[in-house]
Amino acid sequence: MVPPEAILHRAGKVERVSIAKIGEQPVQEGLFRFAGVEDLYFMAAAVNPGQARVEYRHVVVPGPGNTARQLISQVVRFPEAPKDARFFVGPKQFELLQSIDAELVRAVNFGMFGWLAVPLLGGLKWIHGYVGNYGWAIKEGDFLFNRT
């Protein structure tokens, strides 16, 4: 299980704070494009909060036996009422995030090959639109790009 992380978009960059480092950096302040909490597949974030103070806290929820859950709580405070702030809670699905805010797609961590993965994902979805099956889309993509 991948532990949750704090995620912030500030000054054009996405910053992630691991659950282990939340205690070292519990408060973040600045002009944010988005600020939230994420795990591998889902996120909860304030989108376009503007100038804000975001407070994070590491929370452990005990369970039966040794099944404790590690969570991050988040509080967003505004010095004045934001004009365009919205809140998103849901899956990190590329098209959904893009429909909410163009920069929110950066919450999907494609790693150091993101510059390559995003266009390949677009191509895979384009082929899938014609064949209707991701298995066939991968096979057709392989055929299209590996003709020798």
Side-chain angles (χ1 to χ4, degrees):
M1 176 176 222
V2 177
E5 294 181 315
I7 184 168
L8 309 152
H9 185 293
R10 171 174 44 196
K13 293 184 178 182
V14 174
E15 303 169 40
R16 288 179 165 81
V17 182
S18 72
I19 198 165
K21 302 229 183 218
I22 289 291
E24 297 171 17
Q25 305 172 35
V27 177
Q28 303 285 335
E29 292 185 272
L31 185 62
F32 297 105
R33 182 72 178 258
F34 62 83
V37 177
E38 67 167 355
D39 67 8
L40 189 58
Y41 301 110
F42 298 95
M43 74 180 296
V47 181
N48 289 324
Q51 188 67 35
R53 175 185 170 99
V54 185
E55 300 170 17
Y56 292 103
R57 195 174 76 189
H58 180 190
V59 178
V60 178
V61 179
N66 291 328
T67 61
R69 297 279 183 197
Q70 306 229 10
L71 305 172
I72 299 175
S73 71
Q74 171 188 358
V75 176
V76 181
R77 300 183 194 279
F78 306 103
E80 57 186 60
K83 295 176 184 170
D84 297 327
R86 295 176 286 166
F87 295 89
F88 171 77
V89 177
K92 293 190 327 188
Q93 187 178 30
F94 197 83
E95 290 81 17
L96 176 62
L97 297 174
Q98 194 170 38
S99 72
I100 295 166
D101 187 285
E103 286 293 304
L104 199 54
V105 298
R106 295 183 59 198
V108 179
N109 189 359
F110 287 108
M112 63 187 243
F113 293 107
W115 59 272
L116 179 62
V118 171
L120 287 176
L121 178 62
L124 178 66
K125 289 184 177 191
W126 180 79
I127 294 171
H128 175 265
Y130 285 102
V131 297
N133 180 300
Y134 278 109
W136 279 100
I138 292 168
K139 181 72 173 155
E140 293 300 317
D142 184 50
F143 173 75
L144 291 174
F145 294 111
N146 288 322
R147 287 194 205 179
T148 54

